[in-house]
Every structure is written in C-alpha cells, then in structure tokens.
Amino acid sequence: MTDHLALLAFKSSITNDPQGVFRSWNKSFHFCEWEGVGCDLRHGRVTILDLGSKGLVGSLSPHVGNMSFLHVLRLENNTFLGAIPPQLGRLNRLQRLYLSSSNFEGEIPANLSHCSNLTHLLVSDNKLVGKFPNELCFFTKLKVLYIHRNNLTGGIPRSIGNLTSLEMLSAAINHIGGSVPDVLGQMKNLTTIGFAGNGLSGTLPPSIFNLSMLTNLSFAVNQLHGSLPPSLGIMLPHLQLFQIWGNQFTGTLPFSISNCSALQTLEMQRNNFSGKIGINFGGLPDLVTVRLHTNNLGSGEPDEMSFISSMTNCSNLKTLVLLLNQLRGFLPNSVGNLSSQLVTLALGGNLLYGKLPSTIGNLVNLTLLGLDINQFVGTIPTEIGNLQNLQVFALDRNNLSGKIPDSIGNISLLIQLFLGNNRLEGNIPPSLGSCKKLLLLDLSRNNLNGTIPKELLRVSALSISLNVGHNHLSGSLPSDVGSLKNLVELDISENELSGELPSGLGSCNSLENLHIEGNFFNGSIPRSLSSLRGIQYFDLSRNNFSGQVPSFLVNFSLMNLNISYNDFEGEVPMEGVFRNTSAISVVGNSKLCGGIPELQLPKCNFKESKKRKMSLALVTVISVVCTVLCVMMVLCFLFCIWLKKKRKGQHSESLSNELFLKVSYQWLLKATDGFSSANLIGVGSYSSVYKGILDEEDETSVVAVKVLNLQRRGASKSFMTECKALRNVRHRNLVKVITSCSSVDFHGNDFKALVYEFMPNGSLERWLNPDPGTENRQNIEIQSLNVLQFRVNIAIDVACALEYLHHHCQTPIVHCDLKPSNVLLDEDMVAHVGDFGVARFLQVLLDPKQSNSVGIKGTIGYVAPEYGMSSEVSIKGDVYSYGILVLEMMTGKRPTDTVFVDGLNLHNFAKTALPDRVTEIVHPMLMKTKEEEETTVPKKIQVPKDSRNDIRKECILSLIRIGVACSMEDPQDRMDITNVLHQLNLVRDNLGGN
C-alpha cells in the first residue's frame, strides 16, 4: 500500500494532465498497470516511474520518496513548481534520476547523496541555484551528471575528483566561476567534459589532456588563457567535439589535431591564436564544422592556403569559417573540390589576393559565401550563377573589376548581395530583377554606368537597403521605385542621374534614410514625399532642385536634413528640424531667406505688387489705435513688474525666458478638481502627477499636471532643470510640455507645476509589470506588450529620443534617469521619454568650474555603474540605462529582481544566455505560436509561415545582444545609440514592420 498511496499523492499534486496520463490511474487497474509505472513482479513494488515529456504541470510530491524500491525516476520535460523534494534522498535503490527541463527551482538537495546507487543524475535546463553540493561528490557509482543551463555558482569543488566512475560531465551555461581544478584529470573514465559559459578563468590544467578517453571537450565562452599542448591530438585521439571558442588562448594551432580521426566539430574562434594553419585535414573524414575565425592566424608563407586542398577529403564538411584573420595568399582552385555538402564558406577579412577561382561554382549547396574585405582582383566568374541555393553573397571591399555577370540573376534565393567598394564597371544587370527574395543590395562605390534598371526596382522584397551610390549611373530615377514600399534605405548619391524626382517615390513610406545628393536632379520636390513620415536622414544636396522648401518637412522627425547647394528660394521654415542648426544645412541656396537667426540668412522682404493709397481719415484712425495700444502695453508691462515684486518668496532664478505660456494656480486647481486623489495618476521623488481637463467643453484638452513638492530638498532645482531641458527640445518621442506654472497657492506658499500632454496608456512600467488588482486583465491581454513587435517599436522610440538628445540638440542633454516608469505611451502606443528633473547639459559639464558628478541622480538598477564611482555624467550613462530597459522588456525581470544576488545581475543573466539560451530567459509571452503571431502582428513583408518562428528567434537574439552591448560595465565598450537605432531598424524590418 505504501507505493499505491505514494502514486496517488503524486497524482494529486499534478494540476494539469494534457495527455491524459492519469486516465488509467484508477481502481479498475492495479497500480502496476498504470501508465508510466513499472513494478518488480516478485515483490509487487514500484521500480520504475517514467512520465517524461508528458506535459504535466504541478508540484513533485515528497511522497515519491516513500517508494523505496524505485530504480528509475523519469520526469524530464514537464513543468514542476518549486524545489526538488529532499525526500528523494530516501530512495537508496535509485539508479537513474531524470529531472531535466522541468522548471525546478531552489538548490540541489544535499541529501541526494544518500542515493548511493545512483548512476545517472540529470537536472539540466532548470532554475537551480546555489553551489555545487560537496555531498554529491560521494556518488562513487555515478556515470552521467548533467547540470547544465542552471544558475549554479561557487566554483568547481576539488571534491569532484571523487567521482571516479563518471563518464559524462556537463555543467555548461551556469555562473560557476573560479578556475579549473587539476583533479578533473584524475577522472580517467571521462568521455565528455562541458563547462562552456561559466566565467572560468586561469589556464586549463595539463592533466585534462591526459584523459585519453575524451570524445567531447568544451570550455567555450570563458576567460581562459594560455596555449595548447603541441601533442593535443596524440593525447586525445578520440575527440569528436573540441570547443574552446570565446576565450583568450594564444600560440599556434596544434598540428597534432590531424591525429583526431573521429573529429566532427572544431571551434576555436574568438581567441588570439596566430601562425600557420598547419593541420592536415585529410585525416579527418568525419569533419562537419570548422570555425577558426576572429584570431590572428596567418604566417605569410607561400603555401599559406594549402590546408584548403587537404580539406577535400572531408566529405561531410558543412561549415568552414575563417574570417577576420591574417591569412595571405591565393585561394586555390581546389576550393571547388570541397564537400558538396558545404553550406557556409566565410573567408572575409583576410589578406587573400589573386583571381577568384571559377571552380567555386561547384559548391552548389552553399547558402553563405563570404569573400569580402580581401584583395581579390579580376572578374567575378560567371560560374557563380551555379550557386542557386546561395542566400548571402559578400564580395565587397576587394579590387574586382569587369562586369557583374548576368548569371547572378540565376541565384533566385539570394537575400543579401554585397558587391560594393570594388572597381566593377558596365551596367547593372537587369537579371537581378529575378532575385525576388532580395532584401539588401549594395553596389556602391564602383564604376558602374548606364541607367538604373526598372527590373531591379520591381523587386518588392527589397526592404533593408538598396545602395547604388558613388557610381556613374545616368538617366532618371524610374517611377518603378514606388514598388519598394518596404525599403528602409535608398542611396543613389554621387552619380549622374537627372530629371525630376518621380512622384512614385512617395510610395516608399518605410524609408528612413534617403540619399540622393551629388546628382543633377532638378525641379521641385514632389508633394507626394509628404507621406515619408518615418524618414530620419534626408540628403538632397548638390543637385539643381528649385522652388520653395517643402513645408511638409517640418512635420517629419528628421535627424538630419541637407538641402545645400541647390536653387531653392523663398522663406525657410522655423519649425521642426529647421529649429536645429546642427541637424540641417541650407548653404549654397542664394535665394533663400528667413529661418532662425543662427542660419544667418537675409530677411524676407515681401512687397505687395500693387500699392493702394489710404485716405487721411484711415491713416488718422490707425495712428490713434496704435498709440492707444502702445500705451496699454506699457501699462500692462509696468503692472506685471509691480505684481512680480509683490510675490512672496521670490526666487533669484528667473524663468522669464521660458517659451511656455504660464497658467495660474487657480486654473490648475479647477482643472484637477482641487488636486483630487481620484485624479492622481502617479507619484515621484519630487512631485505628484494629476489628470486634468483645462477646458470642460473640450474633451480633447486632457492634460497631465506635474505638481512639485517644494518641501523636498532639490524639488525647485528639479523644476528649473526640467523647464530648461524641455524649453528647446522637440521630438515626437519626447513628452511635450504644454505650459508651466510658477505661482503662489491660496495659503501664500510657492507653487510650481508643469503641464504635459496626457498619455492615455500610462507608463511602460505599467505594461511590463501590470498589477492584477488595478488593471483590466482583459485589456492587458489584448493590448499589452507581450507581442515582440510592440517591444521592438518601443525600443526604437526610446532610442530615437536618446539619439536626438545626445546628438541633435544644440546642447547635448543627458537624461540621467531612464527607466520604464519614465517612458510614457500615447493612444497609438508610441513611446515618449519624460521626467527631465535630473537631466544634465553637457556644455555645463565641460565647464571646469562645475562638478560633473556631485548630486548625480538615478534609480538603482538602471543607473550606470561608473556613476557610483563619482565618474562624469556622459551619454554613455544613458546608453547603459537604455540597455537595462531593453533587457527588462525582453526578460520580464527588473534589474532589482531578488534572483540577482552574489554578483549576478540582469546584464550577466542575459549575456550568459547568448546565443543559444535566449529563448529560455525571455518573457514567455514573446514565444507565441505562429497562429497567435499571425492574428496579432501585422507585417510589411509576407514571410512564409514555416520561417516565422526562426525570424522571431533571430529578432529576440538581436534585441538581447543590443541590450547586453549597451549595458557593458566599461562605458567605452557600450554600443553607440546611433548604431543601436540602425540595428533596431534592421530587426523591425526582419520582423515584418509595424
């Protein structure tokens, strides 16, 4: 009865049984006949409980520990809440315990060591924490130990050497840290060692290389250094997988690797290896993957590339990546004799020269061919058209000449083609129009001539970039350009194009970068371009454009506008981008006038074509009226001065140069219904924010009123800072201030407030961490940011705001407190950055009389680490906060989450998951099914259904990488916000648009 009761207790702890496992668990059957249960028929006791991969949800009952005859317990690939019950330590007959991928939390129970007969312990892919228990080192019979992909810490204990029977040890992707103990070399039965992604330091102990039975050795993505023993391949002859990439190893590659005849995977990239690749690959027939990129390999010897010929015997080779080294020499003809299974060949970023061998056309299964950034000469062989499975082809930054072969149009699956920065000549082949899947085409900086073929402009898939700039192209821009509705970047600059811009260009409403400078275009700018609302960089300088400067440009969120050296005339607008002299250029247009004073253009003198004489009576009336008005204005001015002096507690700082219309305390009191708690929508360090209605008859006049708590020290300074910051900035992704109030209340106290545009969808914090008690759950499920597309859009909006503040304001502004609660969402879910109460101005910081660090404000978890060490405020600090915000959006974890202890933080949590574990750390709602995605995310580019999940994962990986790159500890290592914006736009485009 003990086993029967234990099984019933196990069943009662399960809350969801999607596969109906427990249908047979009833009185109609003996429990030994229940699904997943195996018994010893002689004793009638349960010896096996195998319910792996059944989709069970619930908790693991501690009563399982009462089944004392249990030999095998398999519960992997389910969802269990809570920790592994310590009662499992009672199962002293247990031999195999499988608990991987089951969501277990907490520590590995120390008393599992009582299971002295255990041979297999698999608890990988969970959420286990704590140190590796020393007690587990007494499993003298243990053969397999899988603890990878958890959150274990505390170093590798030396007592692990006691596991003398161990054959397979996998502990990758944890936070173990420390050094590699030499006792691992005592475990002579080991065939697999995996400690990748653990922050290990020091060197690999020589004893490791004495484990002659090893087949898999992986210490990738750590901080190990030193060199490898020359006899490695002789000492480890059975190696099948050798991974040490992402470390700091130096020296040469051991030639003896040639002796590892069973080798399948060789990954030594991202180290500091140097010298000749002297490995004879001919003795490695099972080789599938070779990655040696991002090292310093190369000797300059004449036979530098001879190893390619030795690889022709590797008939299973699929991936060969050698880019970013110092390899010098000819690419031998034998490259065409490589495996017919080869899908990736990447040799870019080396010093290869000579002609491209035509035999490369034999590699018909290639999907990626990268020969860029070398010194190749001659023509592109026509045999390249045989590579009909090719998707990415990079030949840019070489010295290639001749024509682009027409046969390139045969590569119908091509997605990205890079041929820029060569000496190619002749026409752009119309056959490129057959590459219907092309997303990016770069033909820039060549000697191409002729016209832009219409066939190319009809490739509607082009969305990332079409760059034919810096050539000798002539003729007009065909109206077919309007077919590129999804194109983000169009560069036709520095050519000999002429005629008027086609109105169809306005149909390219996804354009963000448009470069048409350095041509012979004429006429006026088509009104249809007013639909390019997303454009950020627009350069039409050095052409022959005429007419008025288009007024619709003031409505664009332009980062840069260059209309210089044309023939524009008339008045320059004073709104939008035209207010920012660092973002515009209008020089070389002799007929322009007006604009802001900084442009130093002549004043506009518009004279009436017909002058009418006015009667003496009319002149007299006008004179009298003007005199009366002047007297009234003087009296009003004197009255204002008298009233201002009368105010109590007048501040020395003056806001008289504000551009905001001020309102009275009484007005705001009425608008907020007496600052009623019912209208309170937020509380901050220095202020409270109320919802208000400035005009009861106008339902659209809803505003947010930020009232400063002047009893708090620093509140008045915060008000002054925010006023100054918002006075001269204007961007669609910054919260717009409507007016300000600096007055006294009914009790004679100082009163300061700012009135902002109201954001009906509240803060990003609300959407990332909704409160079930106060939010409408149904509304959240429909609209919340659980769809990847929305999060990408918000990331772009915030990056746009920072890019503007950092690089396009007359005085660069550092926000200093970027976090989800300071990102507000309007009715269209467009993000706006607000709360500039602790912002800093860089020109002030450059004043040696001013402090760069005193009084730095920010929020724990989001504030850059260097600020805690009294470092100067910089735009890099905002980038750090931005990176944390992106990681929070993707993982659903605040930087102050309780899981981040013992040196673990949100940055490290995300970094260690790159690149293969990101789907495990992201918020579950980001991993929707294809069907859910189709109903919630509109797309600009129709992607085949069976590819969308892969695209989603790629986009998630890119966002995590951006968040990690922005939140690096060293400010100099952080990604520039302009580059961030570029990368995010690529992500949005890959995902399929807004």
Side-chain angles (χ1 to χ4, degrees):
M1 289 297 293
T2 301
D3 291 351
H4 184 232
L5 292 175
L7 290 171
L8 291 177
F10 174 84
K11 176 184 177 182
S12 66
S13 297
I14 302 301
T15 58
N16 190 13
D17 173 21
Q19 299 182 26
V21 170
F22 297 127
R23 278 196 291 263
S24 65
W25 287 40
N26 55 57
K27 295 180 180 179
S28 300
F29 301 92
H30 188 273
F31 64 82
C32 287
E33 298 176 343
W34 291 355
E35 181 177 347
V37 178
C39 291
D40 176 357
L41 297 180
R42 188 174 68 172
H43 298 97
R45 300 296 302 273
V46 175
T47 57
I48 298 174
L49 181 57
D50 183 357
L51 293 175
S53 302
K54 299 298 184 183
L56 301 177
V57 179
S59 60
L60 179 54
S61 171
H63 292 282
V64 172
N66 295 333
M67 294 188 286
S68 56
F69 275 71
L70 206 59
H71 290 177
V72 178
L73 178 58
R74 301 200 64 154
L75 298 174
E76 72 274 15
N77 294 312
N78 289 293
T79 303
F80 290 99
L81 307 176
I84 299 173
Q87 289 82 358
L88 296 186
R90 300 173 186 168
L91 303 174
N92 55 13
R93 290 183 174 87
L94 194 63
Q95 297 174 10
R96 296 175 178 244
L97 178 59
Y98 299 89
L99 300 178
S100 297
S101 302
S102 292
N103 202 50
F104 284 111
E105 301 176 342
E107 298 184 354
I108 299 174
N111 60 357
L112 275 182
S113 60
H114 298 157
C115 303
S116 56
N117 289 301
L118 207 61
T119 61
H120 292 67
L121 175 58
L122 289 80
V123 292
S124 58
D125 292 280
N126 283 294
K127 300 176 182 178
L128 302 175
V129 298
K131 297 181 179 180
F132 189 102
N134 279 316
E135 293 83 356
L136 298 189
C137 297
F138 297 105
F139 288 139
T140 57
K141 297 181 181 180
L142 196 64
K143 294 182 179 181
V144 178
L145 176 59
Y146 283 2
I147 56 174
H148 54 266
R149 290 193 176 95
N150 281 290
N151 297 307
L152 301 177
T153 57
I156 305 171
R158 292 189 58 80
S159 57
I160 198 172
N162 296 336
L163 303 178
T164 54
S165 298
L166 200 62
E167 297 175 3
M168 305 178 73
L169 171 59
S170 178
I173 321 297
N174 278 286
H175 309 286
I176 292 176
S179 59
V180 182
D182 57 2
V183 294
L184 284 177
Q186 301 172 11
M187 304 162 71
K188 300 298 183 182
N189 293 312
L190 277 174
T191 61
T192 296
I193 299 179
F195 278 100
N198 269 296
L200 301 175
S201 58
T203 61
L204 284 178
S207 61
I208 291 284
F209 302 102
N210 293 328
L211 300 174
S212 60
M213 300 300 293
L214 278 178
T215 59
N216 299 288
L217 179 61
S218 176
F219 280 95
V221 197
N222 283 292
Q223 300 165 22
L224 300 170
H225 60 87
S227 59
L228 300 177
S231 58
L232 181 146
I234 299 172
M235 302 166 76
L236 304 175
H238 303 295
L239 273 183
Q240 297 176 20
L241 179 145
F242 185 49
Q243 291 179 326
I244 57 169
W245 62 275
N247 282 285
Q248 301 161 19
F249 288 108
T250 55
T252 58
L253 304 182
F255 296 178
S256 62
I257 289 177
S258 307
N259 194 56
C260 302
S261 58
L263 193 64
Q264 298 176 16
T265 301
L266 179 63
E267 295 184 334
M268 305 172 69
Q269 69 269 25
R270 288 173 49 195
N271 280 287
N272 297 308
F273 289 112
S274 59
K276 185 177 182 179
I277 301 179
I279 301 171
N280 180 4
F281 292 95
L284 308 177
D286 297 329
L287 202 59
V288 175
T289 300
V290 177
R291 297 183 186 273
L292 300 175
H293 60 86
T294 322
N295 280 290
N296 296 307
L297 296 170
S299 64
E301 298 180 22
D303 60 344
E304 178 89 290
M305 300 299 292
S306 62
F307 67 89
I308 292 287
S309 298
S310 73
M311 284 184 163
T312 57
N313 289 333
C314 304
S315 58
N316 295 309
L317 189 64
K318 292 184 177 180
T319 300
L320 176 58
V321 183
L322 299 169
L323 56 84
L324 297 176
N325 278 290
Q326 301 294 320
L327 299 174
R328 183 186 300 272
F330 292 94
L331 184 60
N333 287 328
S334 58
V335 69
N337 297 328
L338 292 175
S339 167
S340 61
Q341 298 187 49
L342 194 67
V343 295
T344 299
L345 177 60
L347 302 175
N350 282 286
L351 302 169
L352 303 179
Y353 52 80
K355 293 185 176 181
L356 294 176
S358 60
T359 56
I360 209 163
N362 297 340
L363 305 175
V364 294
N365 283 308
L366 277 181
T367 61
L368 184 151
L369 176 58
L371 301 172
D372 50 310
I373 320 176
N374 279 289
Q375 300 169 11
F376 289 115
V377 296
T379 61
I380 301 173
T382 58
E383 290 81 0
I384 211 74
N386 297 338
L387 307 181
Q388 296 188 23
N389 290 303
L390 203 59
Q391 297 178 25
V392 179
F393 184 22
L395 271 176
D396 53 303
R397 285 173 281 182
N398 280 285
N399 295 311
L400 296 168
S401 57
K403 295 184 177 181
I404 301 173
D406 289 334
S407 61
I408 207 164
N410 296 337
I411 313 176
S412 58
L413 299 180
L414 204 59
I415 295 175
Q416 297 185 350
L417 175 60
F418 301 88
L419 297 178
N421 285 269
N422 280 286
R423 300 175 183 175
L424 300 171
E425 57 193 36
N427 296 335
I428 298 175
S431 62
L432 278 173
S434 300
C435 302
K436 299 299 184 182
K437 296 181 180 295
L438 203 60
L439 301 179
L440 181 152
L441 175 62
D442 181 5
L443 302 177
S444 64
R445 299 182 185 276
N446 280 288
N447 296 314
L448 300 172
N449 53 37
T451 61
I452 299 176
K454 297 179 179 180
E455 294 84 353
L456 175 59
L457 299 180
R458 292 169 184 164
V459 180
S460 59
L462 274 169
S463 54
I464 298 176
S465 175
L466 172 58
N467 189 345
V468 295
H470 292 263
N471 281 287
H472 302 291
L473 301 173
S474 58
S476 61
L477 178 62
S479 60
D480 303 77
V481 70
S483 302
L484 305 179
K485 300 183 185 301
N486 301 308
L487 191 63
V488 171
E489 179 183 65
L490 175 62
D491 191 336
I492 56 174
S493 63
E494 307 300 337
N495 280 287
E496 299 165 14
L497 300 169
S498 58
E500 297 187 359
L501 289 180
S503 59
L505 186 60
S507 299
C508 305
N509 48 29
S510 295
L511 275 177
E512 295 178 5
N513 302 319
L514 178 56
H515 291 271
I516 58 180
E517 68 269 18
N519 281 287
F520 301 108
F521 288 113
N522 56 38
S524 58
I525 305 301
R527 179 66 188 173
S528 63
L529 267 60
S530 62
S531 63
L532 306 182
R533 292 302 183 95
I535 200 162
Q536 298 181 26
Y537 296 90
F538 189 12
D539 193 338
L540 41 82
S541 62
R542 291 179 289 115
N543 280 282
N544 297 314
F545 289 115
S546 58
Q548 299 282 329
V549 176
S551 58
F552 59 75
L553 292 175
V554 302
N555 299 318
F556 291 1
S557 299
L558 285 162
M559 300 294 184
N560 186 273
L561 172 65
N562 191 347
I563 62 171
S564 60
Y565 298 102
N566 281 284
D567 197 26
F568 288 111
E569 62 183 41
E571 187 173 11
V572 174
M574 298 178 65
E575 300 297 324
V577 69
F578 295 96
R579 298 180 59 186
N580 187 352
T581 56
S582 64
I584 62 168
S585 177
V586 299
V587 298
N589 290 276
S590 59
K591 300 176 185 177
L592 288 179
C593 63
I596 60 176
E598 290 84 350
L599 295 178
Q600 299 182 348
L601 295 174
K603 292 183 179 180
C604 297
N605 295 316
F606 300 111
K607 298 181 179 180
E608 294 183 6
S609 58
K610 295 182 179 179
K611 294 184 180 180
R612 293 180 297 175
K613 295 183 179 180
M614 292 184 292
S615 66
L616 179 62
L618 181 60
V619 171
T620 303
V621 171
I622 292 176
S623 300
V624 172
V625 171
C626 289
T627 302
V628 172
L629 287 175
C630 288
V631 171
M632 291 179 65
M633 289 175 65
V634 171
L635 291 175
C636 289
F637 176 75
L638 293 174
F639 177 77
C640 289
I641 293 177
W642 172 81
L643 183 62
K644 183 176 180 181
K645 289 182 179 180
K646 190 176 180 180
R647 286 178 178 166
K648 182 180 179 180
Q650 182 177 10
H651 292 283
S652 59
E653 297 178 275
S654 174
L655 294 175
S656 62
N657 61 342
E658 287 189 40
L659 300 181
F660 308 136
L661 172 67
K662 295 182 181 180
V663 296
S664 67
Y665 171 81
Q666 290 82 357
W667 191 12
L668 295 182
L669 188 70
K670 180 181 178 182
T672 58
D673 192 19
F675 302 111
S676 167
S677 59
N679 288 327
L680 183 65
I681 56 177
V683 178
S685 300
Y686 297 126
S687 61
S688 299
V689 182
Y690 297 85
K691 179 179 178 181
I693 301 177
L694 293 182
D695 184 352
E696 293 180 352
E697 297 180 357
D698 183 5
E699 295 181 357
T700 65
S701 62
V702 180
V703 295
V705 181
K706 181 177 180 178
V707 179
L708 275 294
N709 179 5
L710 298 179
Q711 303 304 314
R712 289 291 306 273
R713 183 179 180 182
S716 182
K717 182 179 180 181
S718 173
F719 175 73
M720 299 294 297
T721 299
E722 191 151 21
C723 286
K724 183 178 180 182
L726 293 174
R727 183 184 304 122
N728 295 314
V729 297
R730 185 175 181 182
H731 190 275
R732 72 184 292 267
N733 295 121
L734 296 177
V735 173
K736 179 183 177 183
V737 64
I738 299 173
T739 184
S740 67
C741 177
S742 183
S743 182
V744 293
D745 64 15
F746 285 144
H747 303 288
N749 298 314
D750 285 339
F751 174 83
K752 295 184 184 298
L754 284 166
V755 181
Y756 296 94
E757 59 180 334
F758 181 68
M759 295 291 168
N761 279 313
S763 73
L764 177 60
E765 171 72 20
R766 169 200 168 203
W767 295 90
L768 293 181
N769 302 288
D771 182 358
T774 59
E775 303 289 354
N776 184 316
R777 181 174 296 275
Q778 182 180 5
N779 184 53
I780 290 172
E781 290 177 352
I782 294 173
Q783 300 185 25
S784 69
L785 301 181
N786 53 24
V787 178
L788 178 59
Q789 181 69 62
F790 290 160
R791 301 195 183 206
V792 172
N793 289 341
I794 286 177
I796 290 175
D797 289 342
V798 177
C800 284
L802 289 184
E803 212 266 349
Y804 172 77
L805 293 172
H806 294 173
H807 300 299
H808 300 288
C809 290
Q810 187 171 2
T811 302
I813 296 175
V814 184
H815 186 277
C816 290
D817 196 19
L818 186 65
K819 56 185 178 180
S821 59
N822 286 339
V823 176
L824 305 178
L825 306 175
D826 64 18
E827 61 183 356
D828 297 319
M829 296 301 285
V830 174
H832 304 255
V833 174
D835 196 344
F836 285 75
V838 294
R840 303 295 285 271
F841 298 81
L842 286 189
Q843 75 171 11
V844 174
L845 298 175
L846 295 175
D847 185 348
K849 297 180 182 180
Q850 299 291 329
S851 169
N852 293 1
S853 56
V854 175
I856 295 303
K857 303 295 182 182
T859 302
I860 294 174
Y862 302 94
V863 68
E866 64 268 19
Y867 288 0
M869 298 180 285
S870 299
S871 294
E872 294 182 358
V873 174
S874 74
I875 59 177
K876 295 290 187 180
D878 278 358
V879 172
Y880 177 88
S881 303
Y882 176 80
I884 296 297
L885 184 144
V886 170
L887 293 179
E888 182 175 353
M889 284 199 295
M890 299 306 296
T891 64
K893 292 185 180 295
R894 292 186 175 99
T896 54
D897 195 291
T898 54
V899 302
F900 299 132
V901 295
D902 297 329
L904 178 64
N905 56 33
L906 182 54
H907 168 84
N908 295 333
F909 174 73
K911 183 178 181 181
T912 55
L914 292 172
D916 299 325
R917 285 186 59 214
V918 293
T919 57
E920 299 175 18
I921 68 166
V922 298
H923 194 286
M925 298 300 278
L926 290 175
M927 299 306 298
K928 282 192 170 184
T929 64
K930 291 185 293 184
E931 290 74 17
E932 288 173 313
E933 179 185 353
E934 290 164 17
T935 59
T936 56
V937 184
K939 292 178 173 56
K940 291 183 179 178
I941 304 174
Q942 294 300 317
V943 181
K945 292 184 179 180
D946 56 357
S947 300
R948 291 181 185 172
N949 286 339
D950 290 338
I951 292 175
R952 176 178 292 277
K953 290 178 182 178
E954 288 178 15
C955 294
I956 289 173
L957 179 60
S958 297
L959 285 164
I960 295 292
R961 281 177 170 157
I962 289 171
V964 169
C966 289
S967 58
M968 298 293 286
E969 184 172 357
D970 188 338
Q972 301 305 315
D973 293 337
R974 295 172 196 157
M975 187 183 290
D976 182 78
I977 197 66
T978 302
N979 191 20
V980 168
L981 200 52
H982 176 70
Q983 295 295 327
L984 285 172
N985 284 322
L986 295 182
V987 171
R988 180 169 65 181
D989 185 83
N990 192 25
L991 191 60
N994 294 323

Short mmCIF file of all heavy atoms in Angstrom, two decimals, residues 361 452 471 489 617 803 972 984:
data_model
loop_
_atom_site.label_atom_id
_atom_site.label_comp_id
_atom_site.label_asym_id
_atom_site.label_seq_id
_atom_site.Cartn_x
_atom_site.Cartn_y
_atom_site.Cartn_z
N GLY A 361 32.13 27.69 -58.33
CA GLY A 361 30.78 27.42 -58.79
C GLY A 361 30.36 25.97 -58.60
O GLY A 361 29.18 25.63 -58.81
N ILE A 452 19.52 52.92 -64.05
CA ILE A 452 19.04 52.00 -63.01
C ILE A 452 17.94 51.16 -63.65
O ILE A 452 16.91 51.69 -64.07
CB ILE A 452 18.49 52.76 -61.81
CG1 ILE A 452 19.58 53.62 -61.18
CG2 ILE A 452 17.93 51.78 -60.77
CD1 ILE A 452 19.09 54.49 -60.03
N ASN A 471 28.71 55.84 -58.11
CA ASN A 471 28.99 55.20 -59.38
C ASN A 471 28.89 56.26 -60.47
O ASN A 471 29.06 57.45 -60.20
CB ASN A 471 28.01 54.04 -59.62
CG ASN A 471 28.39 52.78 -58.85
OD1 ASN A 471 29.36 52.11 -59.21
ND2 ASN A 471 27.66 52.46 -57.79
N GLU A 489 16.24 51.97 -46.62
CA GLU A 489 17.34 52.85 -47.05
C GLU A 489 17.45 52.82 -48.56
O GLU A 489 17.52 51.75 -49.17
CB GLU A 489 18.65 52.41 -46.42
CG GLU A 489 19.84 53.27 -46.86
CD GLU A 489 21.16 52.78 -46.30
OE1 GLU A 489 21.58 51.66 -46.66
OE2 GLU A 489 21.76 53.53 -45.50
N ALA A 617 -8.25 110.03 -43.34
CA ALA A 617 -9.04 109.60 -42.18
C ALA A 617 -8.62 108.23 -41.70
O ALA A 617 -8.50 107.99 -40.49
CB ALA A 617 -10.52 109.61 -42.55
N GLU A 803 18.88 59.39 -29.13
CA GLU A 803 19.74 59.81 -30.22
C GLU A 803 19.57 61.30 -30.48
O GLU A 803 20.54 62.02 -30.75
CB GLU A 803 19.39 59.00 -31.47
CG GLU A 803 20.58 58.73 -32.38
CD GLU A 803 20.71 59.75 -33.49
OE1 GLU A 803 19.77 60.54 -33.65
OE2 GLU A 803 21.73 59.76 -34.18
N GLN A 972 33.27 52.59 -22.41
CA GLN A 972 33.83 52.60 -23.75
C GLN A 972 33.42 51.39 -24.58
O GLN A 972 33.54 51.39 -25.80
CB GLN A 972 35.38 52.65 -23.66
CG GLN A 972 35.89 53.87 -22.93
CD GLN A 972 35.36 55.18 -23.51
OE1 GLN A 972 35.34 55.36 -24.73
NE2 GLN A 972 34.92 56.09 -22.65
N LEU A 984 18.28 48.26 -34.60
CA LEU A 984 16.87 48.03 -34.28
C LEU A 984 15.99 48.14 -35.52
O LEU A 984 15.01 47.39 -35.66
CB LEU A 984 16.41 49.03 -33.22
CG LEU A 984 16.89 48.77 -31.79
CD1 LEU A 984 16.52 49.94 -30.90
CD2 LEU A 984 16.30 47.49 -31.25
#
